[in-house]
């Protein structure tokens, strides 16, 4: 038996995840894990809760000046997080 059509394993896995409806939850998990890498240790220290609901990232920050800085840099943070994951996962950020 000879196969003439070979496929890359990563393509097969991504197609399976998409068919099973698991691609979006996996990307959301990867984005939440990427918060520390993208934002750095200082911001991570003041971050207490991260959640994604309806393509909105809900972040709880304990420092008021840092909260204000994140609100002003919202568009850049969204782009950096989505680029780190490699997919359009979030469209907005809500800071509390």
């Amino acid at each position: 038996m000879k196969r003439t059509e070979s496929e890359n394993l990563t393509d097969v896995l991504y197609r399976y995840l998409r068919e099973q409806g698991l691609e979006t939850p996996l990307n959301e998990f990867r984005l939440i894990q990427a918060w520390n890498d993208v934002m750095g240790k200082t911001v991570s220290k003041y971050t207490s809760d991260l959640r994604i609901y309806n393509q909105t990232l809900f972040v709880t920050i304990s420092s008021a000046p840092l909260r204000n800085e994140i609100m002003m840099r919202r568009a850049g943070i969204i782009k950096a997080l989505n680029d780190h994951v490699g997919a359009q996962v979030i469209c907005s950020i809500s800071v509390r």
Side-chain angles (χ1 to χ4, degrees):
M1 191 161 132
K2 185 177 180 182
R3 289 201 155 176
T4 56
E5 297 178 20
S6 63
E7 291 185 62
N8 192 357
L9 182 60
T10 57
D11 295 337
V12 173
L13 286 173
Y14 281 126
R15 189 175 64 234
Y16 175 76
L17 289 172
R18 194 173 305 118
E19 289 172 358
Q20 297 299 317
L22 299 173
E23 184 178 32
T24 301
L26 177 63
N27 285 336
E28 289 175 354
F29 175 77
R30 290 174 56 207
L31 187 129
I32 289 173
Q33 296 299 314
W35 176 263
N36 295 337
D37 295 336
V38 173
M39 298 306 292
K41 286 184 177 182
T42 305
V43 176
S44 298
K45 187 169 70 172
Y46 292 105
T47 304
S48 61
D49 190 24
L50 290 168
R51 275 189 242 140
I52 297 176
Y53 182 73
N54 286 341
Q55 293 186 334
T56 301
L57 178 64
F58 293 94
V59 183
T60 304
I61 304 287
S62 60
S63 170
L66 184 60
R67 191 177 318 131
N68 189 29
E69 180 71 23
I70 289 173
M71 290 297 289
M72 290 190 305
R73 295 184 44 214
R74 206 175 348 194
I77 294 170
I78 291 169
K79 183 179 179 342
L81 286 169
N82 284 332
D83 289 346
H84 192 274
V85 174
Q88 179 71 28
V89 180
I90 60 171
C91 296
S92 63
I93 296 177
S94 176
V95 182
R96 302 179 202 177

